[in-house]
Amino acid sequence: MQKRNKNVVMIMCDSMQWHYLGCYGGKIKTPNFDRLAREGVVLDNVYSEGLPTIPVRRALFTGRYTLPYRGWSPLELDDTTIADILWRYSTYSALITDTSVMHLPKYGYQRGFDYVFNLRGHDDDNHYYADDPLYHLKMEDYHKPSYRTDENGEKVEEMWSVFSKDEMKGYLAQRQYWKTDADQNVAQIAKQSIRFLEEADRNKPFFLWIDSFDPHEPWDAPSVYDPDLKCPYDPDYDGKEIWNPVSTYADNVYTDREMEHIRALYAEKITNVDKWLGKVLDRIRDLGLERDTMVVLMSDHGEPLGNEEHGHGIVRKCRPWPYEELVHVPMIVKAEGLEAGTRKSALVQNIDITPTMMEWMNIPQEAWADMQGKSLWPLLKGEVEDIRDFLITGFFGQSWSLITKDWSYIHWLNPVALENSEAGGKTMFEVFDIQEGEVSEGVADTQTMFDRIRKQQENQWTCVPGSLTEVPEKDGLYSRSNDPFQLKNVIEKNPEVARELYDKLREYMLELKAESVYSDI
């Protein structure tokens, strides 16, 4: 009997909070993701380890941890990726994406894929349209600035507010011609993915990685541009449509009512993502690919969206805080042989999905033996109840967290190791933006400047403009059953538990040979 081809469609949705989805108890409309949940296996306790976007892609591409070793950085020659492995085993690999940071110069995250489609213009690539003429939209209709008083007593716009406004120049130039949800980025990604599925060679197995940057900010959902639509989750709102908020503390800029609407736009964006990626799921079925195709739906991380459980006070990923709203991610797996409509409460690290996909595709184990992820197949098939006793998560050089079934513990690394915000924000672009002979203010010569920027890039932990390496003064201990969103630190009431978890975290990081400039590990 001829060996069956085994395919994978991995659907990555950036910045999608798990508990917004209907199948995770959310109250917004996600009918297609909910349908996938009824047909597949829902994993309830999946956590990303190294954050945010780029470290997660590196971890998933390689099946290996990033948190102990490096942060926001390019792929290296020593990194063996899914695409590298599949090339050897005659599998056609494709990457369809609008996740701009995967397309950064010299970053290499498209390396090895046989086919790549890259849609330009999303966040971190907003400069692509920034010089285009703007005729039909006005900045002041969507941007609420944040101000401070300077040393002369003058009212000036804060740096991170200016950053947000600069981002919007490119967005507005592109979006001035958007009319319906079919114009949104996720719609373009879905259409390209469907085209790939229709044209794929049925004589060979394929691996399709769909990387939708939506619902990542900006949260300009369809109702923003269609005068006949109201936001379905906040139809009575009559204020400014703030869809690219300033990355700072919510209370510094926005009223509670404005934050409520920002979250409603985010929710509407997720519903639109569900609609268009649902068309991809439909096409898999229509083409008769379901039997031989594993479908994985997941996110890289969530998103801070205001006070309390929404974001611990911040908007966007502007602090290296690995709280629940950011690190807990959805994951649904559908494949032949799995019992439909089941849920698993086991602790799962995001890198565990990588060897799981390799095993489904019948790739010899020696080809992925170096992966640190654990195959989920025994769990998915009901052969075991658990595969891990604990998980790790955090930001390289900033924070480490350990998660068990009962507790979550956050250890803040030495806050003086990075004295300012230079390692946050968009330092990844600076080397490419500097002209020959140009010297930044306060720097003696070009070589010193280049060395300084490269050092910043080595420590980079986020791409969000205006980010600060600010962390709380004390570590955090939280009960997962009584306080799932980590709002009440009980470390002082449970010092023995905290010490046990700290020791376990420290021991595991040392076992992984974590790189650190800190003396307290």
Side-chain angles (χ1 to χ4, degrees), residues 37-67:
R38 292 191 297 272
E39 297 173 352
V41 180
V42 177
L43 297 154
D44 285 320
N45 284 295
V46 182
Y47 286 78
S48 291
E49 51 97 36
L51 299 160
T53 309
I54 282 296
V56 171
R57 299 309 188 284
R58 185 189 202 124
L60 293 175
F61 276 17
T62 63
R64 295 182 60 82
Y65 289 113
T66 61
L67 176 63

Side-chain angles (χ1 to χ4, degrees), residues 183-450:
D183 297 316
Q184 299 251 334
N185 277 40
V186 67
Q188 307 308 313
I189 293 301
K191 292 171 188 176
Q192 289 293 331
S193 300
I194 290 170
R195 184 174 296 117
F196 172 85
L197 292 170
E198 292 172 342
E199 298 175 356
D201 183 357
R202 297 293 187 268
N203 296 307
K204 292 290 184 181
F206 66 81
F207 177 91
L208 171 59
W209 185 294
I210 303 171
D211 210 295
S212 170
F213 214 35
D214 285 348
H216 189 285
E217 66 265 26
W219 299 307
D220 49 346
S223 64
V224 170
Y225 303 114
D226 188 338
D228 296 326
L229 286 181
K230 290 284 189 179
C231 176
Y233 305 115
D234 195 10
D236 297 327
Y237 181 76
D238 59 359
K240 181 176 291 190
E241 297 283 10
I242 303 168
W243 45 257
N244 193 54
V246 177
S247 52
T248 184
Y249 289 99
D251 290 343
N252 286 355
V253 190
Y254 305 112
T255 65
D256 290 343
R257 185 68 185 91
E258 287 170 335
M259 281 307 310
E260 182 181 355
H261 189 66
I262 288 170
R263 289 191 291 270
L265 290 176
Y266 171 74
E268 184 186 351
K269 198 83 166 182
I270 291 176
T271 294
N272 195 53
V273 168
D274 172 272
K275 173 182 177 178
W276 283 96
L277 293 180
K279 296 178 185 296
V280 177
L281 299 175
D282 290 341
R283 201 65 185 127
I284 291 172
R285 184 179 62 253
D286 294 343
L287 292 168
L289 292 169
E290 282 188 309
R291 179 168 174 255
D292 297 326
T293 302
M294 168 190 277
V295 176
V296 180
L297 172 74
M298 65 180 300
S299 182
D300 56 348
H301 49 69
E303 186 71 46
L305 289 164
N307 292 323
E308 300 297 328
E309 73 275 10
H310 300 296
H312 287 80
I314 61 174
V315 186
R316 303 173 63 178
K317 300 171 288 293
C318 59
R319 301 291 186 274
W321 298 351
Y323 290 119
E324 182 79 1
E325 65 272 10
L326 185 66
V327 301
H328 192 166
V329 299
M331 182 186 288
I332 305 171
V333 181
K334 177 185 175 183
E336 185 184 47
L338 301 182
E339 184 180 352
T342 57
R343 306 186 79 97
K344 303 296 181 182
S345 62
L347 296 174
V348 173
Q349 199 81 74
N350 62 342
I351 58 174
D352 295 334
I353 194 60
T354 310
T356 308
M357 295 187 293
M358 295 293 98
E359 192 169 350
W360 162 259
M361 300 187 79
N362 296 315
I363 304 300
Q365 190 168 359
E366 59 265 24
W368 44 274
D370 289 338
M371 292 184 181
Q372 294 167 311
K374 298 182 179 182
S375 175
L376 296 172
W377 275 111
L379 176 68
L380 295 172
K381 292 190 290 187
E383 298 172 356
V384 300
E385 292 186 0
D386 296 291
I387 61 170
R388 293 180 180 273
D389 296 326
F390 61 87
L391 308 172
I392 60 172
T393 186
F395 288 85
F396 175 73
Q398 305 293 323
S399 54
W400 291 346
S401 177
L402 186 128
I403 296 164
T404 69
K405 285 193 172 183
D406 298 322
W407 300 95
S408 61
Y409 173 79
I410 300 176
H411 175 56
W412 306 107
L413 297 172
N414 189 344
V416 300
L418 296 175
E419 296 177 353
N420 50 45
S421 63
E422 290 179 335
K426 298 191 182 296
T427 59
M428 58 189 175
F429 294 115
E430 294 186 31
V431 167
F432 307 107
D433 290 343
I434 293 173
Q435 303 299 316
E436 187 66 31
E438 183 179 338
V439 179
S440 296
E441 183 179 354
V443 181
D445 57 76
T446 55
Q447 187 58 51
T448 299
M449 180 177 64
F450 274 98

Side-chain angles (χ1 to χ4, degrees), residues 8 107 138 142 164 297 344 366-367 369 377:
V8 169
Y107 262 51
K138 296 179 180 180
Y142 306 106
S164 175
L297 172 74
K344 303 296 181 182
E366 59 265 24
W377 275 111

Side-chain angles (χ1 to χ4, degrees), residues 14-15 97-101 104 118-129 167-168 170-171 174-175 178 183-189 211-220 243-244 269 273 316 426 429:
D14 202 285
S15 304
T97 179
D98 62 337
T99 303
S100 306
V101 289
L104 287 171
N118 188 77
L119 180 65
R120 298 291 302 270
H122 213 308
D123 188 45
D124 298 314
D125 191 31
N126 39 289
H127 65 280
Y128 188 70
Y129 292 100
E167 287 179 314
M168 293 179 68
Y171 296 148
Q174 177 194 22
R175 285 142 162 88
W178 285 10
D183 297 316
Q184 299 251 334
N185 277 40
V186 67
Q188 307 308 313
I189 293 301
D211 210 295
S212 170
F213 214 35
D214 285 348
H216 189 285
E217 66 265 26
W219 299 307
D220 49 346
W243 45 257
N244 193 54
K269 198 83 166 182
V273 168
R316 303 173 63 178
K426 298 191 182 296
F429 294 115

Side-chain angles (χ1 to χ4, degrees), residues 3-112:
K3 187 177 179 181
R4 285 168 52 193
N5 292 334
K6 292 289 194 75
N7 314 309
V8 169
V9 175
M10 159 64 87
I11 303 175
M12 171 64 69
C13 302
D14 202 285
S15 304
M16 187 165 70
Q17 284 203 26
W18 62 279
H19 63 288
Y20 272 64
L21 307 188
C23 53
Y24 282 93
K27 298 180 180 179
I28 72 170
K29 294 181 179 179
T30 52
N32 296 293
F33 295 162
D34 299 347
R35 182 188 76 206
L36 183 66
R38 292 191 297 272
E39 297 173 352
V41 180
V42 177
L43 297 154
D44 285 320
N45 284 295
V46 182
Y47 286 78
S48 291
E49 51 97 36
L51 299 160
T53 309
I54 282 296
V56 171
R57 299 309 188 284
R58 185 189 202 124
L60 293 175
F61 276 17
T62 63
R64 295 182 60 82
Y65 289 113
T66 61
L67 176 63
Y69 311 116
R70 59 183 78 95
W72 190 287
S73 60
L75 278 177
E76 297 179 358
L77 287 177
D78 291 341
D79 289 322
T80 300
T81 69
I82 295 172
D84 294 332
I85 294 172
L86 294 182
W87 178 88
R88 171 63 181 83
Y89 292 96
S90 303
T91 299
Y92 193 81
S93 60
L95 172 65
I96 296 177
T97 179
D98 62 337
T99 303
S100 306
V101 289
M102 298 174 71
H103 191 53
L104 287 171
K106 302 183 180 181
Y107 262 51
Y109 283 87
Q110 301 175 354
R111 184 187 84 194

